[in-house]
Amino acid sequence: MLGRSASKLFQHRRHLLAAGVIATGGATLFLTSDKQVHAESNKLKFWQSLPGENTPENPGFAKLRGVAAEQRFRTSLAQNNGKTDFDVVIVGGGIIGLATARELLKRFPTMTVAVLEKEREVAAHQSGHNSGVIHAGIYYKPGSRMAKTCVRGADLMYEYCKQNQLPVERCGKLIVAVDDKEHKQVERLMEIATLNGVKDLQILNSEEIKKLEPNVVAYSALYSPNTGITDFGLVSQCIANEIMQTGRAEIKLAFEAKKFESRSDGRVEIWGGEPNQRGPTLKVTAKNVITCAGFYSDRVAGLAGGDAGRAKVVTFRGTYYQLKPEYRGICRMNVYPVPSGGGIPVGVHFTPTVNTRRGIQMIVGPGACLTFSREGYTFTDFKMEDIFGSLTNMNLWLFALKNPSLSVGELYKDMNKRAFLRAAQAYVPGLTEDMVEESFAGVMSQVFEKGGIAANDYILERKVMDGKILCVRNAPTPACTASLAIAEMLIDTATEDFEWESSASEKSITVPPKSQLAAIAA
């Protein structure tokens, strides 16, 4: 009885399966039919507008996204079939791209600007996931653009935070040497910083250090009273609001630039869309384009017609811990070790934060572990395209071979909390494992140049796509500190390359050399 029932059930399912195959086959034949029905042949009547078009202004929208975006939202489809034309498009909504848009709008009061940002918020990556330090300009090669923009940028950043009433503290910084050998590096840093124009520096002995930070045990230290902290993510949001309220700028979020074309009328057309979505296709055009794409600066430059094989980006994850609330007062200022060499990293350090997302904390970190994805915020984040890019980057391999202890050591610290904290205990020996808890991770981009040397200056590619595009190819730390000064430099460069007539009365930073792809200072 049971066997017959099972047999009938099997036959029933077989018939259903056969019917499904026939139905599917019929659908396939229908879908592959050459016969197409055109809209014109249906004699349809179309409404001239849809709900939301040509309506009164939406003040709430205008407040959040800007007057230009609100107006275009209501009228663009009806007036010009959704076409969006601007004088300049900036690809990348991190602090560099936003600051550049702000500087351009200040200098050129009639220009229109669009900022394209892949994520659904500005400053989603490097600009919003860092220690928040306003650097004074101590480490950078004298005469380099990195040194000049850092010193000027720090002054501009303090002033901007003050004007806009943003959290900022000039809390100071100690760069500590644990022995006589490291003391020589302190003296060298003093010489470099003095050449860079950093003010009010002092070299302290162990007793003087104790007066400033009782829990720090060191042979000597370079004291920088003008190093400070802020929330660069919040600064970025403030700049975004500022440029949107001009009525001449839009920030297009969830717009991943995927294709650049030069049109016959001389404009550049940029095609893109929302990440991980098949549609709709988004499109903007501009007379000129500036790319500031962070993790993806090399790939975006390649899409725009730049040299895809040069200045390849490698990303490193920086993991942070934070002191538990009852131990936050272990330090009051930034406390750094002397640099470890190789160009990265600056070493595990203590930093107080005024980050509005994560609160007022004392963080310890970061490491500098090679990621397996350009957005590799955890050890398990993995993307084959990014892994392949790192494995085939010969300059990265040369760097690793030259710095084996650094390469292996950073990986070990990323996986081992005790090893991570041991680096901090070298100069704050009272720190114990039970005093800290996990905090956030950031990812930084780095370019390695010929011979396996970590690029130590900003890299631009100029006059791309017949002179219509300027690409930022490398802008590592101290780019957040220097962002407002970097923006000045980029607009100086764009004014020359694009032959704009600037209405600015003065320019604080001279234009870099005209080499097609070069570090701004060798």
Side-chain angles (χ1 to χ4, degrees), residues 190-210:
M190 179 70 165
E191 294 173 2
I192 292 172
T194 301
L195 289 172
N196 288 342
V198 182
K199 298 175 182 178
D200 303 324
L201 296 173
Q202 301 177 55
I203 293 181
L204 307 180
N205 60 34
S206 58
E207 293 301 318
E208 291 169 323
I209 293 169
K210 282 285 186 184

Side-chain angles (χ1 to χ4, degrees), residues 255-485:
F255 190 128
E256 182 177 9
K258 299 177 181 179
K259 183 180 177 182
F260 295 72
E261 284 188 351
S262 179
R263 298 196 327 191
S264 59
D265 63 359
R267 298 180 69 85
V268 179
E269 194 163 74
I270 304 174
W271 302 64
E274 185 177 356
N276 305 315
Q277 298 293 330
R278 297 177 64 182
T281 298
L282 306 174
K283 182 173 68 175
V284 297
T285 74
K287 296 175 183 176
N288 298 111
V289 177
I290 302 173
T291 70
C292 311
F295 297 158
Y296 302 100
S297 59
D298 54 343
R299 293 177 186 170
V300 170
L303 291 173
D307 188 344
R310 299 288 298 277
K312 301 293 290 183
V313 167
V314 179
T315 51
F316 294 83
R317 178 176 54 261
T319 300
Y320 290 88
Y321 291 86
Q322 64 188 38
L323 275 294
K324 294 177 181 178
E326 61 268 34
Y327 304 119
R328 287 185 310 164
I330 195 168
C331 301
R332 278 186 56 84
M333 67 174 67
N334 296 286
V335 184
Y336 281 57
V338 293
S340 56
I344 59 168
V346 293
V348 174
H349 52 269
F350 291 79
T351 296
T353 69
V354 286
N355 188 282
T356 52
R357 180 179 296 173
R358 293 179 285 270
I360 295 176
Q361 301 281 359
M362 176 61 68
I363 58 175
V364 185
C369 178
L370 182 69
T371 68
F372 305 133
S373 165
R374 290 208 178 179
E375 298 177 25
Y377 289 95
T378 68
F379 186 82
T380 55
D381 288 334
F382 183 92
K383 192 172 182 181
M384 184 57 71
E385 180 186 10
D386 299 337
I387 285 287
F388 181 77
S390 295
L391 291 176
T392 56
N393 188 327
M394 294 308 299
N395 290 330
L396 169 62
W397 282 104
L398 289 171
F399 173 84
L401 290 172
K402 288 180 179 180
N403 302 276
S405 60
L406 179 62
S407 305
V408 176
E410 290 300 321
L411 177 63
Y412 182 60
K413 282 194 297 185
D414 190 72
M415 300 173 64
N416 188 297
K417 178 181 177 181
R418 188 167 297 174
F420 187 99
L421 294 179
R422 196 176 299 127
Q425 290 166 337
Y427 52 91
V428 183
L431 179 71
T432 57
E433 194 172 338
D434 62 329
M435 294 170 67
V436 302
E437 58 190 6
E438 289 185 341
S439 190
F440 69 102
V443 177
M444 70 171 186
S445 64
Q446 179 64 54
V447 167
F448 293 96
E449 298 184 295
K450 188 175 180 180
I453 300 170
N456 61 0
D457 214 338
Y458 307 130
I459 299 175
L460 301 184
E461 187 171 8
R462 300 175 61 176
K463 296 186 177 296
V464 176
M465 194 174 281
D466 300 322
K468 293 189 282 285
I469 299 178
L470 169 65
C471 299
V472 178
R473 300 294 299 262
N474 184 56
T477 185
C480 283
T481 295
S483 55
L484 297 174

Side-chain angles (χ1 to χ4, degrees), residues 171-228:
C171 57
K173 174 179 179 177
L174 291 172
I175 303 175
V176 300
V178 298
D179 54 33
D180 182 60
K181 182 180 179 182
E182 289 191 351
H183 176 68
K184 291 180 174 59
Q185 293 189 60
V186 168
E187 293 177 325
R188 179 174 173 274
L189 288 174
M190 179 70 165
E191 294 173 2
I192 292 172
T194 301
L195 289 172
N196 288 342
V198 182
K199 298 175 182 178
D200 303 324
L201 296 173
Q202 301 177 55
I203 293 181
L204 307 180
N205 60 34
S206 58
E207 293 301 318
E208 291 169 323
I209 293 169
K210 282 285 186 184
K211 293 178 181 178
L212 290 177
E213 288 290 358
N215 295 315
V216 175
V217 177
Y219 180 87
S220 65
L222 181 61
Y223 174 47
S224 169
N226 291 313
T227 299

Side-chain angles (χ1 to χ4, degrees), residues 49-270:
S49 64
L50 290 177
E53 285 187 290
N54 300 315
T55 60
E57 182 183 353
N58 301 287
F61 186 171
K63 183 177 181 181
L64 291 170
R65 299 292 298 276
V67 175
E70 191 278 333
Q71 183 178 6
R72 195 181 299 274
F73 171 76
R74 289 183 292 115
T75 63
S76 64
L77 283 173
Q79 291 182 358
N80 59 4
N81 199 29
K83 188 169 62 175
T84 50
D85 296 332
F86 300 90
D87 291 312
V88 180
V89 164
I90 295 173
V91 181
I95 197 167
I96 301 284
L98 294 168
T100 301
R102 173 181 177 269
E103 183 67 21
L104 187 147
L105 291 165
K106 283 173 57 183
R107 290 204 203 176
F108 299 93
T110 62
M111 277 194 178
T112 58
V113 183
V115 177
L116 311 183
E117 169 52 46
K118 178 174 76 75
E119 305 299 343
R120 290 162 180 80
E121 63 176 346
V122 298
H125 293 297
Q126 294 181 98
S127 302
H129 293 81
N130 55 69
S131 56
V133 176
I134 300 176
H135 293 282
I138 294 170
Y139 302 102
Y140 316 112
K141 182 180 178 179
S144 68
R145 295 292 172 176
M146 191 172 280
K148 291 180 179 179
T149 57
C150 184
V151 174
R152 175 165 171 76
D155 291 339
L156 292 174
M157 186 59 63
Y158 279 121
E159 184 62 27
Y160 187 83
C161 291
K162 180 181 178 182
Q163 287 179 353
N164 292 278
Q165 300 178 316
L166 302 177
V168 64
E169 295 289 335
R170 204 182 292 254
C171 57
K173 174 179 179 177
L174 291 172
I175 303 175
V176 300
V178 298
D179 54 33
D180 182 60
K181 182 180 179 182
E182 289 191 351
H183 176 68
K184 291 180 174 59
Q185 293 189 60
V186 168
E187 293 177 325
R188 179 174 173 274
L189 288 174
M190 179 70 165
E191 294 173 2
I192 292 172
T194 301
L195 289 172
N196 288 342
V198 182
K199 298 175 182 178
D200 303 324
L201 296 173
Q202 301 177 55
I203 293 181
L204 307 180
N205 60 34
S206 58
E207 293 301 318
E208 291 169 323
I209 293 169
K210 282 285 186 184
K211 293 178 181 178
L212 290 177
E213 288 290 358
N215 295 315
V216 175
V217 177
Y219 180 87
S220 65
L222 181 61
Y223 174 47
S224 169
N226 291 313
T227 299
I229 53 174
T230 189
D231 181 345
F232 290 117
L234 191 65
V235 171
S236 300
Q237 292 173 30
C238 186
I239 295 173
N241 290 337
E242 181 183 347
I243 66 177
M244 286 189 296
Q245 296 312 315
T246 63
R248 296 184 286 120
E250 290 187 43
I251 298 176
K252 293 182 175 292
L253 301 175
F255 190 128
E256 182 177 9
K258 299 177 181 179
K259 183 180 177 182
F260 295 72
E261 284 188 351
S262 179
R263 298 196 327 191
S264 59
D265 63 359
R267 298 180 69 85
V268 179
E269 194 163 74
I270 304 174

